[in-house]
Amino acid sequence: MADTVSVPTPRPGAPAGRRRSPQAPSHKRRDHRAALFFILPAMLGFGVFYLWPTIRGVYLSFTDYSLLTPPEWSGLSNYTKLIGDGSFWSSLGVTLEYVVINIGVQTIVAVVLAVLMHRLTKSSFLRGVLLLPYLVANVVVALVWYWMADYTLGVANQFLGWIGLGPLGFFGEEHLVIPTIALVNVWRHMGYTALLIFAGLQAIPRSLYEAAAVDGSTEWRSFWRITLPLLRPVLAMVLVITVIGSFQIFDTVAVTTQGGPADASKVIYYYIFEKAFSQFDFGYASAMGVALIVILAGVSLLQMRLLRAGESDLS
């Protein structure tokens, strides 16, 4: 007797079950191919300009390489030399001083500008004006401020003379050169940072401020209790970006001071540049570059963890 197979029939009025479209796998394959086509140029650029130079730099850091002869494997000698190199630690200290001034001033100014734009005006023209300095090349900005801060002919010292203060060597005195370079870069980047924070402010529901106002909260209290906590993910992203960018300060120093006076502005990138392209010690310069990558990765991870960058009180 042959077995019979009963096919279940849907009950009348029961909702029809979800049926898998026979075209779904082919659609997914087409979507994957389209996605790969669009990201392939970016992946190619990342591999050629970032991944391969990084791998090559890590390899050269274990060699003695002067560009004129093939690299010779030297093991950990470059890293041993780096630990005892006082100039390396001095340039790292100068860089840290620049990073602290640049990030501290830039973040405070950018938050103030973003809050003022959010509370008072949302003019697109004003946002464009704020972004203008960021569109000017770093070299041009450095040259213009170098001329403006000239000891004898600069506008800054002319103004100080008008108000009865003596001229200052902004780029020529050891205790002024790093704060001056930091403030020049604050001027260039504050508009861009303010716009990032302004975008974060747009995501905060206005109903929270209205409820706080009903409860009698002042503007200052609402800023500390609502605005700053809900801006934490955006501020974490801004801080990570600005810290990494600040450690890479080079062009402003190269154009204005070349590390002087008396190495007071010799940041780590300029020291690496000197070792590589003035002294042709590419192996040691690569070791310093690898050490800088490790330091930046550690600082970024610490920032993300301390600021709980992936969490938002809005959720």
Side-chain angles (χ1 to χ4, degrees), residues 26-54:
S26 61
H27 286 168
K28 284 186 176 178
R29 281 197 294 272
R30 280 202 297 270
D31 290 345
H32 289 164
R33 282 197 294 268
L36 186 62
F37 175 77
F38 281 109
I39 66 174
L40 190 59
M43 291 174 62
L44 190 63
F46 176 78
V48 172
F49 296 108
Y50 287 94
L51 187 59
W52 171 245
T54 303

PDB file of all heavy atoms in Angstrom, residues 26-54:
ATOM      1  N   SER A  26      19.463  35.801  -5.798  1.00  0.00           N
ATOM      2  CA  SER A  26      20.085  36.522  -6.917  1.00  0.00           C
ATOM      3  C   SER A  26      20.108  38.021  -6.649  1.00  0.00           C
ATOM      4  O   SER A  26      21.059  38.714  -7.000  1.00  0.00           O
ATOM      5  CB  SER A  26      19.321  36.229  -8.215  1.00  0.00           C
ATOM      6  OG  SER A  26      17.985  36.680  -8.095  1.00  0.00           O
ATOM      7  N   HIS A  27      19.056  38.526  -5.989  1.00  0.00           N
ATOM      8  CA  HIS A  27      19.068  39.945  -5.629  1.00  0.00           C
ATOM      9  C   HIS A  27      20.197  40.264  -4.673  1.00  0.00           C
ATOM     10  O   HIS A  27      20.883  41.281  -4.799  1.00  0.00           O
ATOM     11  CB  HIS A  27      17.719  40.327  -4.992  1.00  0.00           C
ATOM     12  CG  HIS A  27      16.613  40.426  -5.987  1.00  0.00           C
ATOM     13  ND1 HIS A  27      15.288  40.519  -5.639  1.00  0.00           N
ATOM     14  CD2 HIS A  27      16.640  40.431  -7.346  1.00  0.00           C
ATOM     15  CE1 HIS A  27      14.549  40.579  -6.732  1.00  0.00           C
ATOM     16  NE2 HIS A  27      15.350  40.530  -7.771  1.00  0.00           N
ATOM     17  N   LYS A  28      20.418  39.356  -3.685  1.00  0.00           N
ATOM     18  CA  LYS A  28      21.491  39.582  -2.714  1.00  0.00           C
ATOM     19  C   LYS A  28      22.844  39.582  -3.399  1.00  0.00           C
ATOM     20  O   LYS A  28      23.717  40.396  -3.089  1.00  0.00           O
ATOM     21  CB  LYS A  28      21.457  38.513  -1.626  1.00  0.00           C
ATOM     22  CG  LYS A  28      20.342  38.703  -0.604  1.00  0.00           C
ATOM     23  CD  LYS A  28      20.467  37.688   0.504  1.00  0.00           C
ATOM     24  CE  LYS A  28      19.401  37.943   1.574  1.00  0.00           C
ATOM     25  NZ  LYS A  28      19.477  36.934   2.656  1.00  0.00           N
ATOM     26  N   ARG A  29      23.023  38.634  -4.346  1.00  0.00           N
ATOM     27  CA  ARG A  29      24.310  38.591  -5.045  1.00  0.00           C
ATOM     28  C   ARG A  29      24.528  39.877  -5.834  1.00  0.00           C
ATOM     29  O   ARG A  29      25.627  40.411  -5.872  1.00  0.00           O
ATOM     30  CB  ARG A  29      24.348  37.364  -5.965  1.00  0.00           C
ATOM     31  CG  ARG A  29      24.637  36.053  -5.236  1.00  0.00           C
ATOM     32  CD  ARG A  29      25.060  34.989  -6.232  1.00  0.00           C
ATOM     33  NE  ARG A  29      23.971  34.645  -7.130  1.00  0.00           N
ATOM     34  CZ  ARG A  29      23.061  33.706  -6.878  1.00  0.00           C
ATOM     35  NH1 ARG A  29      23.129  33.031  -5.749  1.00  0.00           N
ATOM     36  NH2 ARG A  29      22.103  33.450  -7.739  1.00  0.00           N
ATOM     37  N   ARG A  30      23.456  40.367  -6.494  1.00  0.00           N
ATOM     38  CA  ARG A  30      23.609  41.609  -7.250  1.00  0.00           C
ATOM     39  C   ARG A  30      23.920  42.779  -6.323  1.00  0.00           C
ATOM     40  O   ARG A  30      24.749  43.637  -6.634  1.00  0.00           O
ATOM     41  CB  ARG A  30      22.332  41.888  -8.054  1.00  0.00           C
ATOM     42  CG  ARG A  30      22.230  41.083  -9.340  1.00  0.00           C
ATOM     43  CD  ARG A  30      21.287  41.768 -10.325  1.00  0.00           C
ATOM     44  NE  ARG A  30      19.936  41.850  -9.797  1.00  0.00           N
ATOM     45  CZ  ARG A  30      19.005  40.908  -9.976  1.00  0.00           C
ATOM     46  NH1 ARG A  30      19.304  39.827 -10.664  1.00  0.00           N
ATOM     47  NH2 ARG A  30      17.802  41.066  -9.477  1.00  0.00           N
ATOM     48  N   ASP A  31      23.255  42.809  -5.152  1.00  0.00           N
ATOM     49  CA  ASP A  31      23.521  43.894  -4.190  1.00  0.00           C
ATOM     50  C   ASP A  31      24.963  43.838  -3.700  1.00  0.00           C
ATOM     51  O   ASP A  31      25.632  44.864  -3.562  1.00  0.00           O
ATOM     52  CB  ASP A  31      22.563  43.789  -3.006  1.00  0.00           C
ATOM     53  CG  ASP A  31      21.136  44.143  -3.396  1.00  0.00           C
ATOM     54  OD1 ASP A  31      20.966  44.736  -4.482  1.00  0.00           O
ATOM     55  OD2 ASP A  31      20.211  43.821  -2.632  1.00  0.00           O
ATOM     56  N   HIS A  32      25.450  42.603  -3.421  1.00  0.00           N
ATOM     57  CA  HIS A  32      26.831  42.477  -2.944  1.00  0.00           C
ATOM     58  C   HIS A  32      27.824  42.928  -4.010  1.00  0.00           C
ATOM     59  O   HIS A  32      28.816  43.591  -3.711  1.00  0.00           O
ATOM     60  CB  HIS A  32      27.104  41.023  -2.546  1.00  0.00           C
ATOM     61  CG  HIS A  32      26.392  40.620  -1.297  1.00  0.00           C
ATOM     62  ND1 HIS A  32      26.218  39.301  -0.924  1.00  0.00           N
ATOM     63  CD2 HIS A  32      25.774  41.358  -0.347  1.00  0.00           C
ATOM     64  CE1 HIS A  32      25.538  39.260   0.214  1.00  0.00           C
ATOM     65  NE2 HIS A  32      25.264  40.500   0.589  1.00  0.00           N
ATOM     66  N   ARG A  33      27.546  42.551  -5.268  1.00  0.00           N
ATOM     67  CA  ARG A  33      28.459  42.957  -6.345  1.00  0.00           C
ATOM     68  C   ARG A  33      28.443  44.481  -6.518  1.00  0.00           C
ATOM     69  O   ARG A  33      29.478  45.107  -6.727  1.00  0.00           O
ATOM     70  CB  ARG A  33      28.066  42.270  -7.655  1.00  0.00           C
ATOM     71  CG  ARG A  33      28.511  40.814  -7.744  1.00  0.00           C
ATOM     72  CD  ARG A  33      28.465  40.332  -9.196  1.00  0.00           C
ATOM     73  NE  ARG A  33      27.103  40.285  -9.701  1.00  0.00           N
ATOM     74  CZ  ARG A  33      26.327  39.211  -9.655  1.00  0.00           C
ATOM     75  NH1 ARG A  33      26.794  38.079  -9.120  1.00  0.00           N
ATOM     76  NH2 ARG A  33      25.113  39.247 -10.154  1.00  0.00           N
ATOM     77  N   ALA A  34      27.235  45.083  -6.423  1.00  0.00           N
ATOM     78  CA  ALA A  34      27.150  46.550  -6.553  1.00  0.00           C
ATOM     79  C   ALA A  34      27.881  47.242  -5.407  1.00  0.00           C
ATOM     80  O   ALA A  34      28.605  48.228  -5.616  1.00  0.00           O
ATOM     81  CB  ALA A  34      25.682  46.983  -6.581  1.00  0.00           C
ATOM     82  N   ALA A  35      27.699  46.694  -4.177  1.00  0.00           N
ATOM     83  CA  ALA A  35      28.392  47.292  -3.031  1.00  0.00           C
ATOM     84  C   ALA A  35      29.900  47.188  -3.191  1.00  0.00           C
ATOM     85  O   ALA A  35      30.643  48.143  -2.925  1.00  0.00           O
ATOM     86  CB  ALA A  35      27.938  46.610  -1.743  1.00  0.00           C
ATOM     87  N   LEU A  36      30.362  46.016  -3.655  1.00  0.00           N
ATOM     88  CA  LEU A  36      31.805  45.828  -3.857  1.00  0.00           C
ATOM     89  C   LEU A  36      32.332  46.777  -4.927  1.00  0.00           C
ATOM     90  O   LEU A  36      33.434  47.323  -4.793  1.00  0.00           O
ATOM     91  CB  LEU A  36      32.070  44.374  -4.257  1.00  0.00           C
ATOM     92  CG  LEU A  36      33.540  43.976  -4.379  1.00  0.00           C
ATOM     93  CD1 LEU A  36      34.243  44.138  -3.035  1.00  0.00           C
ATOM     94  CD2 LEU A  36      33.666  42.544  -4.875  1.00  0.00           C
ATOM     95  N   PHE A  37      31.536  47.013  -5.970  1.00  0.00           N
ATOM     96  CA  PHE A  37      31.962  47.914  -7.036  1.00  0.00           C
ATOM     97  C   PHE A  37      32.158  49.334  -6.510  1.00  0.00           C
ATOM     98  O   PHE A  37      33.114  50.021  -6.880  1.00  0.00           O
ATOM     99  CB  PHE A  37      30.907  47.905  -8.156  1.00  0.00           C
ATOM    100  CG  PHE A  37      31.174  48.890  -9.251  1.00  0.00           C
ATOM    101  CD1 PHE A  37      32.144  48.635 -10.216  1.00  0.00           C
ATOM    102  CD2 PHE A  37      30.461  50.080  -9.316  1.00  0.00           C
ATOM    103  CE1 PHE A  37      32.393  49.549 -11.220  1.00  0.00           C
ATOM    104  CE2 PHE A  37      30.703  51.000 -10.321  1.00  0.00           C
ATOM    105  CZ  PHE A  37      31.677  50.729 -11.276  1.00  0.00           C
ATOM    106  N   PHE A  38      31.255  49.772  -5.618  1.00  0.00           N
ATOM    107  CA  PHE A  38      31.349  51.142  -5.123  1.00  0.00           C
ATOM    108  C   PHE A  38      32.470  51.322  -4.091  1.00  0.00           C
ATOM    109  O   PHE A  38      33.075  52.385  -4.003  1.00  0.00           O
ATOM    110  CB  PHE A  38      30.005  51.572  -4.509  1.00  0.00           C
ATOM    111  CG  PHE A  38      28.988  51.957  -5.546  1.00  0.00           C
ATOM    112  CD1 PHE A  38      27.893  51.141  -5.796  1.00  0.00           C
ATOM    113  CD2 PHE A  38      29.128  53.119  -6.286  1.00  0.00           C
ATOM    114  CE1 PHE A  38      26.956  51.482  -6.754  1.00  0.00           C
ATOM    115  CE2 PHE A  38      28.197  53.469  -7.254  1.00  0.00           C
ATOM    116  CZ  PHE A  38      27.105  52.645  -7.491  1.00  0.00           C
ATOM    117  N   ILE A  39      32.729  50.300  -3.268  1.00  0.00           N
ATOM    118  CA  ILE A  39      33.759  50.476  -2.233  1.00  0.00           C
ATOM    119  C   ILE A  39      35.145  50.061  -2.716  1.00  0.00           C
ATOM    120  O   ILE A  39      36.131  50.315  -2.035  1.00  0.00           O
ATOM    121  CB  ILE A  39      33.416  49.687  -0.953  1.00  0.00           C
ATOM    122  CG1 ILE A  39      33.454  48.176  -1.203  1.00  0.00           C
ATOM    123  CG2 ILE A  39      32.082  50.098  -0.382  1.00  0.00           C
ATOM    124  CD1 ILE A  39      33.275  47.362   0.066  1.00  0.00           C
ATOM    125  N   LEU A  40      35.208  49.452  -3.916  1.00  0.00           N
ATOM    126  CA  LEU A  40      36.513  48.997  -4.419  1.00  0.00           C
ATOM    127  C   LEU A  40      37.512  50.140  -4.587  1.00  0.00           C
ATOM    128  O   LEU A  40      38.676  49.995  -4.183  1.00  0.00           O
ATOM    129  CB  LEU A  40      36.326  48.255  -5.743  1.00  0.00           C
ATOM    130  CG  LEU A  40      37.572  47.526  -6.262  1.00  0.00           C
ATOM    131  CD1 LEU A  40      38.052  46.494  -5.244  1.00  0.00           C
ATOM    132  CD2 LEU A  40      37.271  46.863  -7.602  1.00  0.00           C
ATOM    133  N   PRO A  41      37.144  51.301  -5.161  1.00  0.00           N
ATOM    134  CA  PRO A  41      38.133  52.399  -5.262  1.00  0.00           C
ATOM    135  C   PRO A  41      38.662  52.842  -3.905  1.00  0.00           C
ATOM    136  O   PRO A  41      39.867  53.090  -3.754  1.00  0.00           O
ATOM    137  CB  PRO A  41      37.340  53.522  -5.943  1.00  0.00           C
ATOM    138  CG  PRO A  41      36.246  52.839  -6.677  1.00  0.00           C
ATOM    139  CD  PRO A  41      35.877  51.653  -5.841  1.00  0.00           C
ATOM    140  N   ALA A  42      37.745  52.918  -2.901  1.00  0.00           N
ATOM    141  CA  ALA A  42      38.208  53.333  -1.571  1.00  0.00           C
ATOM    142  C   ALA A  42      39.137  52.276  -0.970  1.00  0.00           C
ATOM    143  O   ALA A  42      40.159  52.613  -0.355  1.00  0.00           O
ATOM    144  CB  ALA A  42      37.009  53.564  -0.656  1.00  0.00           C
ATOM    145  N   MET A  43      38.789  50.982  -1.165  1.00  0.00           N
ATOM    146  CA  MET A  43      39.644  49.916  -0.640  1.00  0.00           C
ATOM    147  C   MET A  43      41.004  49.932  -1.324  1.00  0.00           C
ATOM    148  O   MET A  43      42.038  49.721  -0.687  1.00  0.00           O
ATOM    149  CB  MET A  43      38.970  48.562  -0.836  1.00  0.00           C
ATOM    150  CG  MET A  43      37.731  48.354   0.024  1.00  0.00           C
ATOM    151  SD  MET A  43      36.881  46.820  -0.356  1.00  0.00           S
ATOM    152  CE  MET A  43      38.135  45.624   0.063  1.00  0.00           C
ATOM    153  N   LEU A  44      40.997  50.208  -2.638  1.00  0.00           N
ATOM    154  CA  LEU A  44      42.258  50.265  -3.390  1.00  0.00           C
ATOM    155  C   LEU A  44      43.129  51.411  -2.876  1.00  0.00           C
ATOM    156  O   LEU A  44      44.335  51.255  -2.646  1.00  0.00           O
ATOM    157  CB  LEU A  44      41.949  50.435  -4.876  1.00  0.00           C
ATOM    158  CG  LEU A  44      43.124  50.278  -5.836  1.00  0.00           C
ATOM    159  CD1 LEU A  44      43.692  48.872  -5.763  1.00  0.00           C
ATOM    160  CD2 LEU A  44      42.681  50.580  -7.261  1.00  0.00           C
ATOM    161  N   GLY A  45      42.510  52.586  -2.698  1.00  0.00           N
ATOM    162  CA  GLY A  45      43.265  53.735  -2.173  1.00  0.00           C
ATOM    163  C   GLY A  45      43.783  53.483  -0.777  1.00  0.00           C
ATOM    164  O   GLY A  45      44.928  53.829  -0.459  1.00  0.00           O
ATOM    165  N   PHE A  46      42.954  52.855   0.068  1.00  0.00           N
ATOM    166  CA  PHE A  46      43.394  52.556   1.430  1.00  0.00           C
ATOM    167  C   PHE A  46      44.580  51.586   1.418  1.00  0.00           C
ATOM    168  O   PHE A  46      45.552  51.763   2.158  1.00  0.00           O
ATOM    169  CB  PHE A  46      42.227  51.940   2.220  1.00  0.00           C
ATOM    170  CG  PHE A  46      42.587  51.502   3.599  1.00  0.00           C
ATOM    171  CD1 PHE A  46      42.715  52.429   4.624  1.00  0.00           C
ATOM    172  CD2 PHE A  46      42.819  50.163   3.878  1.00  0.00           C
ATOM    173  CE1 PHE A  46      43.061  52.023   5.902  1.00  0.00           C
ATOM    174  CE2 PHE A  46      43.169  49.743   5.144  1.00  0.00           C
ATOM    175  CZ  PHE A  46      43.295  50.683   6.167  1.00  0.00           C
ATOM    176  N   GLY A  47      44.499  50.587   0.531  1.00  0.00           N
ATOM    177  CA  GLY A  47      45.594  49.607   0.485  1.00  0.00           C
ATOM    178  C   GLY A  47      46.893  50.208  -0.016  1.00  0.00           C
ATOM    179  O   GLY A  47      47.971  49.945   0.528  1.00  0.00           O
ATOM    180  N   VAL A  48      46.790  51.064  -1.064  1.00  0.00           N
ATOM    181  CA  VAL A  48      48.006  51.625  -1.684  1.00  0.00           C
ATOM    182  C   VAL A  48      48.622  52.727  -0.822  1.00  0.00           C
ATOM    183  O   VAL A  48      49.844  52.768  -0.631  1.00  0.00           O
ATOM    184  CB  VAL A  48      47.669  52.160  -3.091  1.00  0.00           C
ATOM    185  CG1 VAL A  48      48.862  52.923  -3.667  1.00  0.00           C
ATOM    186  CG2 VAL A  48      47.289  51.021  -4.017  1.00  0.00           C
ATOM    187  N   PHE A  49      47.763  53.612  -0.280  1.00  0.00           N
ATOM    188  CA  PHE A  49      48.293  54.807   0.396  1.00  0.00           C
ATOM    189  C   PHE A  49      48.369  54.679   1.912  1.00  0.00           C
ATOM    190  O   PHE A  49      48.982  55.515   2.562  1.00  0.00           O
ATOM    191  CB  PHE A  49      47.448  56.028   0.025  1.00  0.00           C
ATOM    192  CG  PHE A  49      47.517  56.374  -1.437  1.00  0.00           C
ATOM    193  CD1 PHE A  49      46.429  56.145  -2.273  1.00  0.00           C
ATOM    194  CD2 PHE A  49      48.682  56.888  -1.988  1.00  0.00           C
ATOM    195  CE1 PHE A  49      46.486  56.444  -3.618  1.00  0.00           C
ATOM    196  CE2 PHE A  49      48.753  57.196  -3.336  1.00  0.00           C
ATOM    197  CZ  PHE A  49      47.659  56.968  -4.151  1.00  0.00           C
ATOM    198  N   TYR A  50      47.721  53.680   2.515  1.00  0.00           N
ATOM    199  CA  TYR A  50      47.749  53.554   3.972  1.00  0.00           C
ATOM    200  C   TYR A  50      48.284  52.193   4.424  1.00  0.00           C
ATOM    201  O   TYR A  50      49.221  52.107   5.216  1.00  0.00           O
ATOM    202  CB  TYR A  50      46.343  53.771   4.553  1.00  0.00           C
ATOM    203  CG  TYR A  50      45.893  55.201   4.512  1.00  0.00           C
ATOM    204  CD1 TYR A  50      45.130  55.674   3.441  1.00  0.00           C
ATOM    205  CD2 TYR A  50      46.234  56.102   5.519  1.00  0.00           C
ATOM    206  CE1 TYR A  50      44.723  57.003   3.381  1.00  0.00           C
ATOM    207  CE2 TYR A  50      45.829  57.428   5.464  1.00  0.00           C
ATOM    208  CZ  TYR A  50      45.077  57.866   4.398  1.00  0.00           C
ATOM    209  OH  TYR A  50      44.692  59.168   4.332  1.00  0.00           O
ATOM    210  N   LEU A  51      47.659  51.104   3.924  1.00  0.00           N
ATOM    211  CA  LEU A  51      48.010  49.779   4.443  1.00  0.00           C
ATOM    212  C   LEU A  51      49.432  49.365   4.050  1.00  0.00           C
ATOM    213  O   LEU A  51      50.231  48.982   4.910  1.00  0.00           O
ATOM    214  CB  LEU A  51      46.991  48.754   3.937  1.00  0.00           C
ATOM    215  CG  LEU A  51      47.132  47.349   4.523  1.00  0.00           C
ATOM    216  CD1 LEU A  51      46.998  47.393   6.036  1.00  0.00           C
ATOM    217  CD2 LEU A  51      46.083  46.414   3.916  1.00  0.00           C
ATOM    218  N   TRP A  52      49.764  49.485   2.750  1.00  0.00           N
ATOM    219  CA  TRP A  52      51.082  49.072   2.308  1.00  0.00           C
ATOM    220  C   TRP A  52      52.203  49.943   2.912  1.00  0.00           C
ATOM    221  O   TRP A  52      53.205  49.401   3.403  1.00  0.00           O
ATOM    222  CB  TRP A  52      51.166  49.074   0.782  1.00  0.00           C
ATOM    223  CG  TRP A  52      52.570  48.868   0.282  1.00  0.00           C
ATOM    224  CD1 TRP A  52      53.337  49.735  -0.418  1.00  0.00           C
ATOM    225  CD2 TRP A  52      53.393  47.711   0.501  1.00  0.00           C
ATOM    226  NE1 TRP A  52      54.572  49.215  -0.672  1.00  0.00           N
ATOM    227  CE2 TRP A  52      54.645  47.971  -0.116  1.00  0.00           C
ATOM    228  CE3 TRP A  52      53.200  46.495   1.150  1.00  0.00           C
ATOM    229  CZ2 TRP A  52      55.677  47.049  -0.104  1.00  0.00           C
ATOM    230  CZ3 TRP A  52      54.244  45.568   1.166  1.00  0.00           C
ATOM    231  CH2 TRP A  52      55.464  45.863   0.531  1.00  0.00           C
ATOM    232  N   PRO A  53      52.076  51.293   2.933  1.00  0.00           N
ATOM    233  CA  PRO A  53      53.119  52.085   3.608  1.00  0.00           C
ATOM    234  C   PRO A  53      53.279  51.741   5.078  1.00  0.00           C
ATOM    235  O   PRO A  53      54.393  51.768   5.604  1.00  0.00           O
ATOM    236  CB  PRO A  53      52.638  53.529   3.427  1.00  0.00           C
ATOM    237  CG  PRO A  53      51.799  53.503   2.215  1.00  0.00           C
ATOM    238  CD  PRO A  53      51.104  52.169   2.247  1.00  0.00           C
ATOM    239  N   THR A  54      52.159  51.396   5.758  1.00  0.00           N
ATOM    240  CA  THR A  54      52.272  51.022   7.171  1.00  0.00           C
ATOM    241  C   THR A  54      53.058  49.729   7.331  1.00  0.00           C
ATOM    242  O   THR A  54      53.955  49.619   8.184  1.00  0.00           O
ATOM    243  CB  THR A  54      50.863  50.868   7.786  1.00  0.00           C
ATOM    244  OG1 THR A  54      50.147  52.091   7.623  1.00  0.00           O
ATOM    245  CG2 THR A  54      50.953  50.538   9.258  1.00  0.00           C
TER     246      THR A  54
END
